[in-house]
Amino acid sequence: MDGDFQPLHATDFVLLGLSGRAWLALLLLLALGFFGYVIARRFQILRAAKRPDPRFGEWGQRLGRVLTVFLGQKKMFREPLPGLMHALIFWGFLVYAVRTITLFASGFAPQLDVPVNVWGNLYFVTKDTFALLVSLGCLYWFYQRVVVRKPRLTHSPKALLILGLILLLMVTDLLIDGALIAYEGENPRGGWAYASAATASLLGALGLPSSALKGVYYASWWVHALAILVFLNYLPLGKHFHVITALPNVFFYKTRPQGQMEKLDVEGAFERDETLGLQTIRELSWRDVLDLFSCTECGRCQAECPAYASGKILSPKEIILELRDHAYEEIPLFGKPQEPRDVVPLSVKPEEIWACTTCMACVEACPIEINQLDKILEMRRNQVMMKDEYPEFFVEVFKGLDGRGNPWNLTPDARMEWTKGLDVPVLGELAAQKANPDGGSHDKQPGEEIDYLFWVGCATAFEPRNQRAARSFVQILQKAGVKFAILGEEESCTGDPARRIGHEYLFQIQAERNVETLNRYGVKRIVTMCPHCYNTLKNEYPDFGGHYEVVHHTELIDELIAQGRIQLSKELRKRITYHDSCYLGRYNKVYDPQRRAIDAIPGAQRVEIARSRSKGMCCGAGGGLMWVEEEPGKEVNQLRLQQILEAQPEVLATSCPFCMIMMEDGIKNKGVELESRDIAELVAEAMEDSNAPSRD
Ligand code: SF4
Ligand code: SF4
């Protein structure tokens, strides 16, 4: 230590007649002033978004989400290594928040620095550890961006600039303390700041005089402070806005069932001359805008999107970025806000929204709770109901739904075809018997006298391949002694295809009709083979006065096996894999009953597809795409089949009539040896005294 030793303090100087403290105050004023201005402009976008979106309630659930998804970075770990590297940077940010505040505060008053006591030491050892871990994270992402050029990421110099800034912050942080320790000759953090001490040793090894160490200290301190202010101002200008908005975005996540679409007052909107669906940024909600601000451009949603993977124009990441850029153009940082313009086709191409299978893989994958699907569906609603513009494939679907209550446009009596030769009770007939004085008790409605109303669904009732599965299910119900009935010709499509395509009005007609029928019979419990019907009956009909206990047939089968009401004794020595249905899995988190049912079959060997459960890929039929002809070479079902074949199964088990149709088509077109069976068919075949219809 030199004889003229003075304790160092970064603002102890005078430059151009101004003290260091005055320079710091000026810098802070400028930086915070500009930051405040930008935030105020961004806030204008939030205010321009007029759609109401009440999310003030369920505080416990919201807090839980913040703990797991935000602080715990849970969704990031769907990809363990990249997840860890991001989490290190994120957790480092939290640790460095304390350092940032104390650094600026101590610039004005040295005593406001982190104290030298056991807590201070604990903090410094943590901070030093994170300086190294965050640097490691930055180097990892530099490598991914520059060398690997990871496809799901948006590659731009801006992202590299931010990584460079973060790395600069870590290096200068270590240099501030390292130079201080080297200059003062002892570690003011009592030796706990081990990385800073190592930096001091390094500087010492260079043999720098005190004046140079002083210079390193001052330069690092000011470069660090400047870098923080540049970083802060850069945040709301690009994708790093998520550093600020991710917390509220996660906190205000959708607590309603994921698969529930918002009910629209269609007639009221027409009467009031209001816009239906998402047309301009005015029809976004404040929470939608938070989504747009929060996108990190990580591409996790895009990487799991079946439409993108099969070569379609749609990328859920781009949907969010296109909407964000649209909003930024209309309410720019400088200059007057523009008149709202239509987002479709100006920023989002119609082909993008019509390529979506509504599989929800994007929503599930997003680490910060962005909902891409809801925005696509709102744009569809606008295209269909306000502009009458949609692919012509849907003309027939709407016609069938409107005229005959099913998208196949078949006559209602065709719904009963599959029951020929089976003893399947029809609820209307039971009700008629009840009306007869000898028909039974009078204190209950017919719907209450059965265990379950079997909601067959159009895809099961009208498609010959699925009719076989329905017959197997009836066999199981009868064997287990479950009292059930169907609605027969009184059943009508739940309206799910109409709603997902965007025709809310048509959906509501179906929903009201069905709820009226079900309530008239006093139905309490429903079992269905169709995950789309399941989702609509369970999550969407309550909005229309239909409150039922809804189970999927695989859930009921699982329960019947567990209760010993059906015995599986016939061996099925096959490698069986299960393809998760999106509307059962991601929409309703039902992943296990189907697997347990397979495991209960003697001799069956269950193998998993690499992409399964919440990562499972769609068959390509959802969102009305069942009726859309895909371009050759871009079929989602072929892509999914390829993934399935990699597990080398002999049997493909499904639990959805739509998946069954898509996968059977894929198998036929590819010409591969693979049996596709509904879970009900497999279980019925394995039942004691089974006379289940064989595959052929
Ligand atoms: S819902 Fe599925 S198909 Fe639609 S954008 Fe998301 S991932 Fe892609
Ligand atoms: S929407 Fe979510 S998953 Fe998709 S790029 Fe943005 S942050 Fe990533």
Side-chain angles (χ1 to χ4, degrees), residues 53 70 89 187 209 344 443 467 486 504 577 615 633 674:
D53 194 353
F70 181 72
I89 297 178
N187 191 339
V344 181
D443 49 350
Q467 291 172 353
I486 61 171
E504 178 71 6
T577 198
K615 286 187 174 179
L674 181 63

Side-chain angles (χ1 to χ4, degrees), residues 592-613:
D592 294 316
Q594 306 82 6
R595 290 175 167 83
R596 280 197 295 267
I598 295 172
D599 292 345
I601 298 171
Q605 185 198 350
R606 179 163 60 82
V607 287
E608 286 290 349
I609 308 163
R611 275 190 67 174
S612 61
R613 301 180 75 93

Side-chain angles (χ1 to χ4, degrees), residues 301 304-307 314 316 355-362 373 376:
C301 53
E304 300 211 10
C305 173
L314 168 64
C356 177
T357 69
T358 68
C359 72
M360 215 193 277
C362 48
L373 175 56
I376 292 173

Side-chain angles (χ1 to χ4, degrees), residues 294-301 317 320 365-368 370 372:
S294 303
C295 181
T296 68
E297 302 179 19
C298 70
R300 284 177 170 82
C301 53
K317 173 176 87 171
I320 295 297
C366 183
I368 45 176
I370 290 172
Q372 307 87 337

Side-chain angles (χ1 to χ4, degrees), residues 184-321:
E184 296 187 356
E186 59 183 43
N187 191 339
R189 312 293 178 200
W192 289 42
Y194 65 93
S196 305
T199 312
S201 305
L202 244 150
L203 291 172
L206 293 175
L208 298 178
S210 319
S211 56
L213 290 172
K214 207 168 154 182
V216 172
Y217 167 76
Y218 274 95
S220 319
W221 198 98
W222 281 93
V223 169
H224 189 88
L226 266 172
I228 288 172
L229 296 178
V230 169
F231 187 73
L232 178 75
N233 274 282
Y234 192 72
L235 294 182
L237 301 180
K239 72 174 193 124
H240 287 85
F241 203 5
H242 75 269
V243 174
I244 298 168
T245 58
L247 172 61
N249 210 54
V250 171
F251 185 76
F252 289 111
Y253 81 108
K254 181 176 176 179
T255 49
R256 284 183 290 128
Q258 282 288 357
Q260 182 196 61
M261 281 178 70
E262 192 192 334
K263 183 183 178 186
L264 296 185
D265 175 11
V266 182
E267 285 175 4
F270 279 129
E271 275 164 23
R272 294 188 295 271
D273 202 19
E274 285 172 3
T275 305
L276 287 162
L278 169 52
Q279 185 159 328
T280 69
I281 61 166
R282 267 192 304 233
E283 286 80 49
L284 290 168
S285 75
W286 61 274
R287 180 55 183 67
D288 287 331
V289 175
L290 261 188
D291 270 354
L292 308 188
F293 289 162
S294 303
C295 181
T296 68
E297 302 179 19
C298 70
R300 284 177 170 82
C301 53
Q302 176 181 290
E304 300 211 10
C305 173
Y308 184 83
S310 57
K312 314 274 172 29
I313 189 173
L314 168 64
S315 152
K317 173 176 87 171
E318 293 304 328
I319 291 282
I320 295 297
L321 300 184

Side-chain angles (χ1 to χ4, degrees), residues 41-174:
R41 292 296 282 197
R42 294 291 188 240
F43 198 73
Q44 269 188 296
I45 302 177
L46 269 173
R47 288 182 47 209
K50 298 282 186 232
R51 188 166 64 82
D53 194 353
R55 299 207 182 196
F56 298 92
E58 295 105 9
W59 302 113
Q61 257 174 284
R62 298 191 183 285
L63 207 62
R65 203 69 160 198
V66 166
L67 291 176
T68 53
V69 174
F70 181 72
L71 293 176
Q73 298 275 287
K74 183 178 159 199
K75 285 189 167 189
M76 286 287 176
F77 287 99
R78 284 164 68 92
E79 284 182 333
L81 184 60
L84 178 66
M85 290 300 156
H86 181 275
L88 291 180
I89 297 178
F90 168 74
W91 291 328
F93 255 95
L94 299 183
V95 172
Y96 265 86
V98 177
R99 166 68 159 187
T100 304
I101 294 165
T102 56
L103 184 110
F104 282 102
S106 68
F108 295 105
Q111 64 275 19
L112 294 177
D113 204 350
V114 179
V116 184
N117 58 24
V118 71
W119 297 112
N121 282 332
L122 269 176
Y123 175 71
F124 269 94
V125 73
T126 313
K127 178 191 76 69
D128 268 24
T129 304
F130 271 99
L132 301 177
L133 293 176
V134 171
S135 304
L136 177 72
C138 288
L139 293 175
Y140 171 86
W141 286 111
F142 264 123
Y143 179 73
Q144 292 298 326
R145 287 187 172 275
V146 178
V147 183
V148 178
R149 293 194 67 77
K150 205 172 173 71
R152 68 168 164 80
L153 300 171
T154 302
H155 294 282
S156 72
K158 289 184 208 162
L160 296 179
L161 176 77
I162 287 287
L163 277 178
L165 262 178
I166 299 172
L167 204 55
L168 180 70
L169 284 171
M170 296 304 110
V171 172
T172 49
D173 179 77
L174 289 176

